[in-house]
Amino acid sequence: MGVVGDRIGPVRSRDRFLHGETFDSTEGDVRSPILSSWERCRLLGLSPDRSDLPFTQDFDADGPLVRAAAPVLDRLQSIFAGSRMNICLADGHGVVLERRFGDKALPRHLAPIQTVPGFVFAEQVAGTNGIGLTLAERGLVQVYGAEHFAERSQSSACTAIPVRDQLSGHIEGVLCLGYPYTDADPALVPLVRRAAEAVERRLMEQSSARERGLLQAYLEAGFRAAANGTEPRDGSPLAMAELLQSELDQSDRSLLKERATELMSSARRAATEVPLSRGRSVTLVSRPVTSSSGVEGIVIEALIPEDTERHAPAPAHAHADAAPRPPAPAPGMVRGLVLVGEPEVGRYAVAARRRLELLAEAGNRIGTTLDVDRTAWELAETAVPRLADFVTIDMPEAVLRGEESPNPTAEMRRTVVHGIREDCPFYPVGSQVTLHPTTPHMRCMTTGQPVLEPDLKAALGWIAQDPAHAELLLAHNVHSLITVPLLSRGVLLGIACFYRSQDPAPYGDDDRALARELAARAALCIDNARRYTREHTLALSLQHSLLPRGLPEQGAVEVAHRYLPAETGVGGDWFDVIPLSGTRVALLVGDVVGHGLHAAATMGRLRTAARNFAELELAPDELLTHLDNLMVRLDREEGGDLPGAASTGIVGATCLYAIYDPTSRQCTLARAGHPPPALVLPDGSVSLLDLPAGPPLGLGGLPFESAEITLPVHSQLVLYTDGLIEDRHRDIDTALEQLHRALSHPDRAPEDTCRAVLDAVAPEHPGDDIALLVARTNALPADRIAAWDLDADPALVGRVRAAAMEQLDRWGLEESSFATELLLSELVTNAVRYGSAPIRVRLILDRTLICEVHDASNSAPRMRHAASTDEGGRGLFLVAQLAQAWGTRYTTGGKVIWAECALDAA
């Protein structure tokens, strides 16, 4: 802001603007409505030095608006008596109808343009000013000093407000207070609001007076008919209306009033039969009526059979519209008044009801899913054709991903194009939308308010965005536009644009209010969908990050896997493949109860725990027992056992754990409430393994059982979660049958099996996650295994060591013989010295050379740091240095100490 001489306002910004600087360079110094108006003035080619304005004598100096405003203008003149206040009343086109002055001598010192009615102050000809900007912004505005476009107004300020018809919402005129900027007072805003409301009330009273005149003319016509003997006085239409009103149910009265309003809005003679409750019906008829002052209206009457007079449905009270009736009712019929009024009033009532119906329908149609794109489409489908002929919706790419956009105006993308036909040349869906500062779209986003462009041919800012494109739209009769921001919780989610083409009438303020209400409802649903999308994406990312990113190298099984998230939300399904000692492998599939981030996080904790327990070489039933205890602890940590604490819903999980040994082809399995795995034998037979079910994890204290089976080579073990076979639209037996058919191809590779199972069995719209793990078994050849049994005799250690060296020579591993000999010496000596018979030594040639020593003792060796004076205690330390991995696992008959050596170890 700045002051130069007697000028106030954004003087420097205005000067820079007039010298050609861009819209954005002054954006921080000038209010958005003023900037938009300046830009429109520049597009119109207006000159700030222009001092003349169009003048017309063709205006109604004694019309309804002037008559309604006269007492209000008198009161304002009295309030500002002696001041330099210029009180102005203009019509809806910006033509000044009347002026009043606080100081009656003031007009002698002002130019005719500021004193004489008839000058046009519309923005298109006068530039930025109070009257023109009020008509453009369609609301109260204040303009100060240099905010005016014209040089002649630089020392002035003004406060202006539209005057509306309360029935239609149309702007009938503008009330404007002009004054020197030094007289600015915040109290002017509430004062001018009250003054405009007073003028609007008086306009409404004029309408009511016309309505009373029509009713009087109708009643007089009825009395004349009674005086002529064509109708008894006690059966007058007004008396019948009161009788029927008392007899009619509320629902019937509402329906009758609704149909009468529609009939009146047609403004012609007509008749219609209205079915009511309990099998009754009423005939409505309409006829013209003219008041003594010449006002033309419509009368709506109800005709009822005379013998059901006391029980027939009664019309609503006489109010605003009328139904035509014959000079006298037909024999056996009585009539009652329903409505009297002007057709235009009926049209407003019908339009208001339809707007309410559309809003009610929007509540049911918008937001049926938690999908951003679909919700935007639902807004467009609701608005077409009842509010708009075409709807476009643009949203930032970040919103479509479920995020908030840091700069929504720079990354708009066309999301929806919907209309009464498909040939209208709007930018297509998916295209990037670049918005210029002059467009109503940008004004809408920067102000956060709807923008109405009633005549697109005159909307220079809209045309300047893309003149060729605008010309194409105008050629398709697109003539009126409302742009509305999609705002929710202060976040701009996009803009919705409503276009009209078929209805010749331009959009009005009621349409803008309706569009804003629809957009507000849709924005809330879009924001909910966006937040859900963000949470779903985060949960899915977390889920994928917690699942195996790749399969470990192992030769026991060939493995393929699939993970398919649910449409309704990410769950807690997981799978894992864990290499174990002795060439064995563990296969794991589990499912945490629930969905969302919490279920995914719980799944990650369970999977990590399961891997750690597997590293301890626990048997399947023991591992499930440890996981069960963990789930119980998790429940307690989440507050499930604390009085008054809110539980997060963790109630358990299911799990299936299997260990396969390729040296013996033995598979040991246990499950905790999980679906049993499917086994596909090499001959193509398919079966579900009969395993003890076990309780779900998290119940605590219940035992688990393991089962052991021998698998033929190249059998396929198929592990899955219940999302694969459970679907509310399908019987589970049907799903299992589909699974059997999909698996009955033993020659398929695991990858092909995964694909076939999902294609044939997975629900089309999964309501739960699906984890699938297919493992085809291999067997280690017998010639790659060497074993020796010996007694607990230290003298036999050397014999075993020599036999092992011979075996290494046969395998061509002479370079590994030195390290292997030291390992075996330490392990076998420890078993003989500290273990129990029988003792068994085994060498396995796989990706590494594995040395195993089994004994019947359950005592586990441990590595310790030997002091320099100790004579022993360094054996396991030596083993750890020579082997790339070593450990202990327990069996039903004792324990196994194992060590792995790289094949190139020397």
Side-chain angles (χ1 to χ4, degrees), residues 508-526:
D509 290 301
D510 286 345
D511 299 310
R512 179 175 61 174
L514 177 59
R516 174 167 52 189
E517 182 66 23
L518 285 177
R521 297 187 182 200
L524 182 60
C525 296
I526 289 173

Side-chain angles (χ1 to χ4, degrees), residues 230-244:
T230 58
E231 180 181 319
R233 283 185 178 274
D234 59 0
S236 66
L238 196 56
M240 282 301 303
E242 294 175 355
L243 175 62
L244 295 177

Side-chain angles (χ1 to χ4, degrees), residues 170-198:
H170 296 161
I171 295 178
E172 300 293 330
V174 176
L175 181 62
C176 181
L177 302 181
Y179 44 88
Y181 69 84
T182 54
D183 294 347
D185 189 335
L188 289 176
V189 171
L191 176 64
V192 76
R193 287 190 188 277
R194 291 195 299 271
E197 290 169 359

